[in-house]
Amino acid sequence: MSTSAAAAEAEAEAPDLVCELDSVQGIVDALTSVRWKRYQDALVELSEHGIVIIVEETSCLQAKVYLQRELFVKYEYGARGRPRFGMSLGLFVDCLNTFSVPGKSNILELRYPGPDMQLLLRSVDSPNACIYAQIRTRIPETISWDYNFEPTGATPLTFTVKSAALKEAIDDLEWPGSSIQIKLQPTPPSVIFRAEGHGDLQIEFNYYANMDLLIAFSCDRPISHRYKYKFLRATTSNIPASVLKDNRGSKFTMGRGGLLKVQHLVSVSKPSSIPHIESAGYQQPSRIAYIEFFVKPHVQEDEEEEEEQVNVVNDSQ
């Protein structure tokens, strides 16, 4: 076999990605944030910039976990383009938990693809034992909707709330049993969460009165949209305890058509290290996983109005 042919064969057999993590628990926390039901499929996209995990629900809720290459102690990317594969999110999280030792910094290697297109995992820093696992992947399904988030104008419609207060507020909004209205108003600067159903509950964050909770606010005109409670709750139901303990903020942005973007930052620092914390309470970007949720607005009211108009026309006939 010629040298060029051997090199071509070796290149063809080389994996698309070999990377190593030194904070398995941080990745588990990030992925658990987007695990809102027991059986959930995920789409994994690889690139030279890192790994993106995407999950969605009934074309109304989509979440993305961004694991930038800076989070890995080793990141060797050899693929052309951006390979994608599907797998069970729950199985992946449970498998990562097997490699996570509380309070101990352990290194995990991920390799893709294996001989049968598996995702391969193994511990690489234990002198006495090696834990090894493989996860079967599948041909990825097409994402059913394009989030295509666009701003609504020159001034962003956005606010940032302390994550612990946000989670508590959304949990409290469950009992009225209805969709949730989120209203932003510039005068006075405030954010209102309201649910009307079996009861009526309104939670208001005033920017100047509660700057310890509503820590950022940008709005130049009144605007409101409604969202199904189960989808809104999914954005906060599994926020990691580390985020709540660090008293970090979660950012909301309303886009064109009422599309809602919710962003969280999850620490992936090594258990044995003392992470650098900036004055604003955020860690350096290299040790943060970015979580984004996209929630479509609830349009039930419009549908009901159209149905009532049709009924009126039928009655008149």
Side-chain angles (χ1 to χ4, degrees), residues 186-238:
T187 308
S190 59
V191 178
I192 298 172
F193 291 81
R194 185 173 186 177
E196 296 176 290
H198 302 299
D200 186 344
L201 178 62
Q202 178 171 301
I203 299 174
E204 185 171 349
F205 294 96
N206 294 301
Y207 182 50
Y208 293 128
N210 297 303
M211 295 182 69
D212 289 340
L213 297 179
L214 186 61
I215 55 181
F217 181 85
S218 173
C219 176
D220 62 351
R221 62 192 184 279
I223 188 170
S224 69
H225 291 282
R226 300 192 73 90
Y227 304 90
K228 280 192 174 182
Y229 178 78
K230 67 175 182 178
F231 296 143
L232 190 62
R233 185 177 184 275
T235 67
T236 62
S237 58
N238 290 317

Side-chain angles (χ1 to χ4, degrees), residues 150-292:
E150 298 179 3
T152 58
T155 301
L157 301 175
T158 181
F159 61 94
T160 302
V161 182
K162 287 295 180 70
S163 300
L166 174 65
K167 177 175 171 55
E168 181 179 352
I170 292 181
D171 287 347
D172 288 343
L173 288 166
E174 181 177 13
W175 71 266
S178 70
S179 58
I180 307 301
Q181 179 189 35
I182 301 179
K183 180 179 180 180
L184 279 67
Q185 56 186 28
T187 308
S190 59
V191 178
I192 298 172
F193 291 81
R194 185 173 186 177
E196 296 176 290
H198 302 299
D200 186 344
L201 178 62
Q202 178 171 301
I203 299 174
E204 185 171 349
F205 294 96
N206 294 301
Y207 182 50
Y208 293 128
N210 297 303
M211 295 182 69
D212 289 340
L213 297 179
L214 186 61
I215 55 181
F217 181 85
S218 173
C219 176
D220 62 351
R221 62 192 184 279
I223 188 170
S224 69
H225 291 282
R226 300 192 73 90
Y227 304 90
K228 280 192 174 182
Y229 178 78
K230 67 175 182 178
F231 296 143
L232 190 62
R233 185 177 184 275
T235 67
T236 62
S237 58
N238 290 317
I239 293 180
S242 60
V243 174
L244 302 179
K245 183 179 178 181
D246 293 343
N247 208 21
R248 192 168 289 138
S250 296
K251 182 178 180 181
F252 280 61
T253 306
M254 282 187 179
R256 189 176 301 277
L259 185 61
L260 184 68
K261 178 166 67 173
V262 184
Q263 298 169 291
H264 307 297
L265 304 178
V266 178
S267 170
V268 292
S269 59
K270 294 189 297 182
S272 59
S273 64
I274 301 177
H276 169 69
I277 305 293
E278 297 178 355
S279 58
Y282 295 98
Q283 295 188 9
Q284 292 177 324
S286 61
R287 304 307 301 178
I288 290 292
Y290 296 85
I291 316 296
E292 289 186 343

Side-chain angles (χ1 to χ4, degrees), residues 23-37:
S23 178
V24 179
Q25 186 57 51
I27 302 302
V28 169
D29 286 346
L31 295 176
T32 301
S33 300
V34 301
R35 188 182 179 184
W36 55 75
K37 63 182 182 180

